[in-house]
Amino acid sequence: MKPERWHKIEKLYHSALEREADQRTDFLAEACAGDDSLRREVESLLTHQSKAEYLMETPVMEVAAKAIAEDSTTSIVGRNLGHYQILSLLGKGGMGEVYRARDTRLSREVAIKILPSEYSADADRLRRFEQEARAAGMLNHPNILTIHDIGADGRAPYIVSELLAGATLREQLHGAVLPLRRAIDYAAQIARGLAAAHEKGIVHRDLKPENLFITKDGRVKILDFGLAKLRRLLPGSDVDANAPTQPQRTDSGVVMGTVGYMSPEQVRAEEVDHRADIFAFGAILYEMLAGQRAFRGASAAETMNAILKEEPPELLAMGHNVPATLERLMRHCLEKSAEDRFQSARDLAFALEGVSGSSGPTAVAQTVAPVRSRRRILFLIANILLISGVALAAYIAGKRAEKTPPEFQRLTFRRGVIGAARFTPDGHTLIYSATWQGDQRQLYSTSPESPESRPLGQLDTDLLAISGSGEMAIALHPSHFGFNFKGTLAQMPLTGNAPRPVLQDVWAADWASDGKRLAIAREINGRYRLEFPIGTVLCETSRVIPRLRISPKGDRIAFEEGNSIAVVDLAGNKKTLSSGWNSTIGVVWSPGGDEVWFAAAEVGFNSALYAVTLAGQKRLVARVPHGLRLFDISQDGRVLLGSHDACKGIKCLPPGEAQERDLSWLDWAHVADISADGKLLLFSESGDGGGKGGAVYLRKTDGSPAIPLGEGVAQSLSPDGEWALAIRRTRTPSPVISQLMLLPVGAGESKALTDDLINWQRAMWFPDGKRILLNGAEQGRGVRSYILDIEGGKPRPITPEGMVVRLVSPDGQWLITSGPQQKLSLFPVAGGEPHLILGQTDGDEPIQWSADGRSIYVRQDGGDLNTMSVFRLDLSTGRRELRKEYIPADPVRDARTLPMAMTPDGRSYAYTYGRNFLDLYLVKGLK
């Protein structure tokens, strides 16, 4: 393809992208002026996911330039360019031809890159060529190709550089594994060269083995800054802000780089910075250590899909003897999010120097841990604040005559979420359940002496408790609900062996001191029972019991009940010790049994650490900017804490648009409803930004600012779009009191529709706009569904306890309900028996009834990954039809995409997405 042709295609492609999808055909017909071949080529480009997929596995900026090398038939060998005599052709590339030449003035051989004159008239190509000269000429570093001169011969500009003897890294690799020390040495040199470039504001953007040259004496040279991006230097940086740099403009949607080494942000054609080079570096390091590419596919599209969604295979599992610290460093470079990678090549080079002496998979680097992302930096600051806060709390409480700050030791270093953690009977080893970097949830063991964690081989499992005799209580195949989970209770010894299933639908468990009896919390018909021993009910509640612990004396059990902390004795006498919290995450007895320690948050989910006596006297133990989770306390007072960083946002596909729009507002958004035309979105903010009672917002899906409607948890928009339902909860005094509120979308006053002591959980409109369907639980009874006339009267129950309504049909005559086993049924509003829905599968979550009333849309979560599939389920035949699949660019486990709202035609939707990360700490000295 001629360069002129490609340039024309590219220009038309971008012009078409600026128009609505239904306008592109007319635009191209007019713009191509009868050139059907040109029109078809542009249309073909538009049908691909991205330009990178269309261009396949080739440096994207070199596609048009291939014609340059193919058409350039005129040899210039033997000619002179100024005082440079051309000796021989060394090679051809996208940015020109490279020749061996002799500098007649200095009597040395050099390399000259020349852009053929017939293409130097291309302004964009000429700009990039000149930029390469400026960028590389600014650099003076032993690991970067040295530029001697630039010039022009008539219309042909050229660059003169040092002439290298050796081979590229690609030629050295040949699909083989490099010796470990050589790979680390090369990696350190590359990192130092990148650091020098980045500190000058230069980003390579096409780092790959072909652009890394290894000289005969083992020195690495970074070649070809032809795709270098000169970024604006931030004020206050230690880089010379007066360096003669200019930002390079990159048209939106243009992917620059080489498939296989592109960063996720490059694949998505987003703006990139120096962290894209760090990702490419990680891919190159992996290839040197593994002998194969980190991301491979049968096509460029599959390779890019792997970059966005997959992790390279573990090196140790492949039989490569690589230090764990080196593999962890490499994977830190390959984080999908640029924020989670090394934030500078200088830190990367420093970390590599620390692992240069490692020689085995268990070797530990004698180095300072590399600087993490901004989140990690903030967390280090949080640790300092935590230490200061705890010391101050201890002083005020008068707990210690000598004030020494507590000691914090980080135990986990990977990206993911921890479900639970416990000390083993020896008080030294720690067992925890976690999912790391998208891997499946499983059990791990670790100790304070080692930064490594060893998998125990028990997959799809969460930890519940460990007995004094070394018996574990675990949850098999757990289902997760925010910070909580339930599964099949099983027993398994620490020494291994297969788990023995005991009981289904268990939320929490703990061992008695004899190591033979278990206290459990389980769910039966929508009610939650605390039993000790199993089968003996001590108390029952309508609120979930996610965690419990038996006292050291064995005479009481402390537990979380909803968002309260309570104790019950063996006679069933229950007492609430602390209530009114927005969330609680962890409950443990102090070693002496005189206090119950717990983590809780008054607003949002950034919980602090508290202690409360059996008399209800509460004190603050520790508070940090990030949220805390309490896992365990040893007999000698050491504490296992988790520090979590979580947020929730909203993605939406507005009507008539092809791409999802991010409509996140504050920090913890929950989708409630979307209008039938897809233009209005109702949602809640229940984190720090939403305040103690939560906040209800209405937002246009075109991205207009959100409008606050009032306090509470958003539920449903009225059919005419003039009112919103919300549930307002009051947690103090206990029990929870909830009111159903009617909030005006426009002018008007809010109105309370209920004043009952019913814990309302869900509310939705009937199509007539005159009735409301409510799910809730009266005191001492199970959850069920009610109908409320908006003009007045009391809610009247319509379903038995344990059965709740999920959807109301378009004609208001039928309901979709789910029972204790979560099976979906058709239930007549007028009364009668429910009918089991055909074609459903376990885990189906109803979203919306179709406009014609014949089908419903249901969603399926992708396990504990942040993925989702939506099906249309025919209610008469049971036929399932896959309508949509949602796979985020960076799937993260335990960050589930729920809830979701969809228009009746299935064309527009909105859903909540989440991110939840947690690190485990061992703390000494907390009092």
Side-chain angles (χ1 to χ4, degrees):
M1 182 186 296
K2 296 289 186 180
E4 296 87 348
R5 180 75 168 183
W6 168 251
H7 183 70
K8 192 170 185 179
I9 292 172
E10 191 177 34
K11 184 176 180 180
L12 287 170
Y13 166 78
H14 289 297
S15 297
L17 282 181
E18 294 174 356
R19 290 163 169 79
E20 296 293 336
D22 57 359
Q23 299 175 354
R24 292 172 185 169
T25 300
D26 293 339
F27 163 73
L28 289 175
E30 180 179 350
C32 293
D35 188 341
D36 291 339
S37 175
L38 178 63
R39 176 180 53 79
R40 285 194 297 270
E41 288 177 285
V42 179
E43 289 176 344
S44 176
L45 181 57
L46 287 167
T47 61
H48 289 74
Q49 287 183 344
S50 65
K51 284 180 64 180
E53 179 181 333
Y54 180 80
L55 299 174
M56 307 306 288
E57 192 158 357
T58 308
V60 174
M61 289 309 302
E62 294 182 6
V63 170
K66 278 187 175 182
I68 295 174
E70 295 168 355
D71 294 345
S72 182
T73 57
T74 302
S75 174
I76 62 172
V77 174
R79 293 178 52 199
N80 285 349
L81 290 178
H83 57 273
Y84 300 105
Q85 182 183 12
I86 305 300
L87 302 178
S88 63
L89 177 66
L90 294 177
K92 299 180 180 182
M95 292 301 294
E97 303 162 342
V98 183
Y99 293 86
R100 178 194 297 268
R102 180 174 180 78
D103 184 343
T104 58
R105 289 193 307 186
L106 299 178
S107 298
R108 64 180 178 183
E109 288 194 344
V110 296
I112 297 182
K113 176 181 283 189
I114 303 171
L115 186 66
S117 60
E118 60 264 40
Y119 297 105
S120 62
D122 185 323
D124 181 71
R125 179 168 295 280
L126 183 60
R127 175 177 60 83
R128 294 188 184 279
F129 185 87
E130 292 173 347
Q131 178 177 283
E132 178 183 5
R134 290 198 307 269
M138 291 167 55
L139 304 174
N140 181 18
H141 191 274
N143 296 119
I144 297 177
L145 180 71
T146 300
I147 301 300
H148 295 316
D149 192 12
I150 62 172
D153 180 44
R155 294 177 57 198
Y158 59 84
I159 295 177
V160 182
S161 67
E162 63 179 322
L163 182 65
L164 302 176
T168 65
L169 178 59
R170 171 65 67 212
E171 293 170 316
Q172 281 208 11
L173 285 172
H174 284 301
V177 178
L178 290 184
L180 181 60
R181 291 190 180 277
R182 189 191 305 174
I184 295 175
D185 176 48
Y186 288 175
Q189 292 189 60
I190 298 167
R192 288 193 290 267
L194 286 176
H198 294 170
E199 287 169 5
K200 288 291 187 180
I202 300 170
V203 183
H204 194 288
R205 292 205 298 179
D206 194 26
L207 200 65
K208 55 187 176 182
E210 290 83 353
N211 282 337
L212 297 170
F213 196 95
I214 314 299
T215 64
K216 290 184 177 180
D217 61 357
R219 178 167 293 178
V220 179
K221 294 279 188 176
I222 304 176
L223 311 179
D224 195 3
F225 278 86
L227 295 181
K229 177 184 177 181
L230 304 182
R231 58 180 173 85
R232 294 187 186 275
L233 302 180
L234 297 177
S237 69
D238 59 355
V239 183
D240 182 5
N242 297 315
T245 63
Q246 293 294 330
Q248 175 185 318
R249 293 185 56 198
T250 302
D251 294 334
S252 175
V254 177
V255 181
M256 303 185 70
T258 300
V259 175
Y261 303 94
M262 286 182 181
S263 64
E265 55 268 33
Q266 282 176 292
V267 171
R268 292 190 292 266
E270 298 172 348
E271 188 70 11
V272 301
D273 59 17
H274 62 285
R275 294 169 295 184
D277 285 351
I278 291 175
F279 185 93
F281 170 92
I284 294 168
L285 177 56
Y286 183 93
E287 192 167 348
M288 289 192 292
L289 298 173
Q292 66 181 46
R293 291 196 180 191
F295 305 99
R296 297 181 298 170
S299 67
E302 292 179 12
T303 300
M304 289 186 291
N305 186 65
I307 290 173
L308 293 174
K309 303 169 187 176
E310 298 175 8
E311 297 292 340
E314 297 282 347
L315 295 176
L316 188 59
M318 297 169 64
H320 299 300
N321 189 30
V322 175
T325 47
L326 179 60
E327 178 159 5
R328 189 163 58 243
L329 178 151
M330 177 268 297
R331 292 189 181 277
H332 189 34
C333 296
L334 292 176
E335 294 283 3
K336 304 299 184 187
S337 170
E339 293 293 329
D340 293 334
R341 296 174 207 144
F342 282 91
Q343 296 299 291
S344 79
R346 183 69 62 194
D347 291 327
L348 174 57
F350 180 74
L352 279 163
E353 291 171 1
V355 300
S356 60
S358 302
S359 60
T362 60
V364 181
Q366 301 298 315
T367 181
V368 179
V371 176
R372 298 273 177 166
S373 63
R374 295 173 191 164
R375 184 184 296 118
R376 302 308 189 200
I377 295 172
L378 291 174
F379 188 73
L380 292 176
I381 297 172
N383 282 342
I384 296 172
L385 295 174
L386 174 60
I387 294 172
S388 302
V390 171
L392 178 61
Y395 174 80
I396 294 173
K399 288 288 185 180
R400 306 183 68 177
E402 296 294 331
K403 276 73 77 175
T404 57
E407 300 176 15
F408 295 83
Q409 181 180 356
R410 186 172 173 181
L411 300 177
T412 59
F413 300 89
R414 301 178 69 186
R415 182 168 172 256
V417 177
I418 296 171
R422 295 286 187 273
F423 289 99
T424 58
D426 63 11
H428 183 72
T429 305
L430 308 169
I431 306 293
Y432 67 90
S433 54
T435 172
W436 293 129
Q437 295 169 299
D439 293 339
Q440 192 171 9
R441 179 176 297 277
Q442 59 180 306
L443 299 179
Y444 296 86
S445 69
T446 189
S447 67
E449 284 73 29
S450 172
E452 307 299 331
S453 293
R454 181 175 64 88
L456 299 184
Q458 188 60 42
L459 300 178
D460 197 16
T461 300
D462 262 303
L463 179 65
L464 293 172
I466 301 177
S467 74
S469 59
E471 187 82 3
M472 289 191 293
I474 58 177
L476 302 177
H477 316 301
S479 298
H480 287 259
F481 306 86
F483 298 114
N484 310 325
F485 58 85
K486 71 173 179 177
T488 298
L489 172 67
Q491 295 178 215
M492 187 177 81
L494 283 170
T495 54
N497 298 332
R500 180 174 64 85
V502 177
L503 198 64
Q504 292 183 335
D505 292 332
V506 172
W507 286 86
D510 193 29
W511 290 98
S513 58
D514 59 16
K516 297 178 181 179
R517 297 174 298 160
L518 278 166
I520 67 162
R522 61 168 164 163
E523 183 178 356
I524 298 179
N525 294 332
R527 301 283 293 171
Y528 303 93
R529 295 179 178 177
L530 195 159
E531 303 176 9
F532 181 62
I534 296 176
T536 301
V537 179
L538 297 184
C539 65
E540 186 175 285
T541 175
S542 62
R543 293 181 288 175
V544 67
I545 302 175
R547 283 161 285 273
L548 62 85
R549 297 299 286 268
I550 301 175
S551 68
K553 296 180 180 179
D555 58 343
R556 289 181 174 86
I557 299 173
F559 61 99
E560 297 175 48
E561 180 189 8
N563 292 313
S564 300
I565 303 299
V567 293
V568 62
D569 63 21
L570 302 188
N573 299 308
K574 173 187 163 187
K575 179 180 181 180
T576 299
L577 300 181
S578 185
S579 63
W581 301 101
N582 185 65
S583 64
T584 57
I585 326 171
V587 57
V588 183
W589 289 90
S590 63
D594 56 336
E595 287 183 317
V596 175
W597 286 34
F598 64 98
E602 293 183 278
V603 177
F605 298 92
N606 280 347
S607 50
L609 188 60
Y610 297 89
V612 63
T613 66
L614 294 179
Q617 294 178 326
K618 182 186 70 179
R619 65 183 180 90
L620 174 68
V621 177
R623 184 192 300 277
V624 297
H626 281 247
L628 292 177
R629 290 191 65 179
L630 175 61
F631 290 121
D632 204 6
I633 303 177
S634 68
Q635 288 299 310
D636 59 7
R638 291 171 299 146
V639 181
L640 278 181
L641 288 179
S643 172
H644 66 81
D645 182 10
C647 66
K648 288 191 176 181
I650 297 174
K651 291 289 183 68
C652 176
L653 182 66
E657 296 191 17
Q659 298 294 325
E660 291 181 351
R661 185 191 296 269
D662 196 309
L663 295 181
S664 304
W665 190 241
L666 302 179
D667 62 328
W668 205 267
H670 269 248
V671 168
D673 199 6
I674 190 170
S675 60
D677 60 7
K679 295 182 178 181
L680 291 176
L681 177 66
L682 183 69
F683 67 97
S684 304
E685 287 286 352
S686 56
D688 292 343
K692 191 170 184 178
V696 179
Y697 286 89
L698 186 72
R699 189 175 190 183
K700 291 183 179 180
T701 56
D702 63 4
S704 303
I707 301 171
L709 299 183
E711 182 181 334
V713 180
Q715 298 296 309
S716 179
L717 279 169
S718 63
D720 59 10
E722 296 183 1
W723 296 92
L725 291 175
I727 294 175
R728 183 178 296 172
R729 293 189 174 93
T730 303
R731 293 187 172 89
T732 304
S734 184
V736 172
I737 298 175
S738 62
Q739 285 183 312
L740 180 65
M741 304 297 299
L742 195 59
L743 306 179
V745 169
E749 296 184 359
S750 60
K751 177 183 178 183
L753 297 180
T754 65
D755 55 4
D756 307 86
L757 291 179
I758 298 179
N759 182 16
W760 298 118
Q761 301 172 8
R762 183 76 174 92
M764 62 194 84
W765 293 88
F766 273 85
D768 59 13
K770 299 178 180 179
R771 295 173 296 165
I772 296 170
L773 192 289
L774 291 162
N775 295 335
E778 301 174 51
Q779 290 297 314
R781 306 197 66 172
V783 66
R784 63 196 307 185
S785 295
Y786 302 75
I787 290 180
L788 174 67
D789 292 325
I790 197 170
E791 297 299 329
K794 293 284 186 179
R796 55 185 178 87
I798 60 168
T799 66
E801 290 186 33
M803 178 182 288
V804 294
V805 173
R806 314 299 293 277
L807 297 175
V808 180
S809 67
D811 60 7
Q813 301 300 311
W814 294 90
L815 308 171
I816 300 294
T817 63
S818 62
Q821 277 71 48
Q822 300 302 310
K823 294 294 184 181
L824 302 180
S825 299
L826 271 172
F827 188 86
V829 174
E833 293 298 318
H835 306 286
L836 200 65
I837 293 177
L838 300 175
Q840 65 178 295
T841 62
D842 291 343
D844 277 349
E845 183 76 18
I847 304 171
Q848 176 64 274
W849 215 304
S850 65
D852 60 12
R854 298 177 181 177
S855 306
I856 60 172
Y857 295 98
V858 298
R859 50 162 285 168
Q860 278 274 345
D861 285 336
D864 54 357
L865 277 174
N866 190 13
T867 61
M868 177 172 54
S869 300
V870 174
F871 298 86
R872 181 167 177 152
L873 178 59
D874 190 293
L875 294 175
S876 60
T877 66
R879 180 175 177 271
R880 295 173 68 89
E881 177 188 359
L882 179 64
R883 297 300 300 268
K884 298 181 184 296
E885 286 187 299
Y886 307 93
I887 304 175
D890 182 16
V892 177
R893 293 181 184 269
D894 295 322
R896 307 175 72 193
T897 50
L898 66 94
M900 182 180 192
M902 179 177 282
T903 56
D905 60 11
R907 295 180 179 177
S908 295
Y909 58 83
Y911 62 89
T912 292
Y913 68 91
R915 290 292 183 269
N916 188 12
F917 306 110
L918 189 143
D919 298 312
L920 184 63
Y921 279 79
L922 178 64
V923 188
K924 299 178 182 178
L926 285 177
K927 296 290 185 179

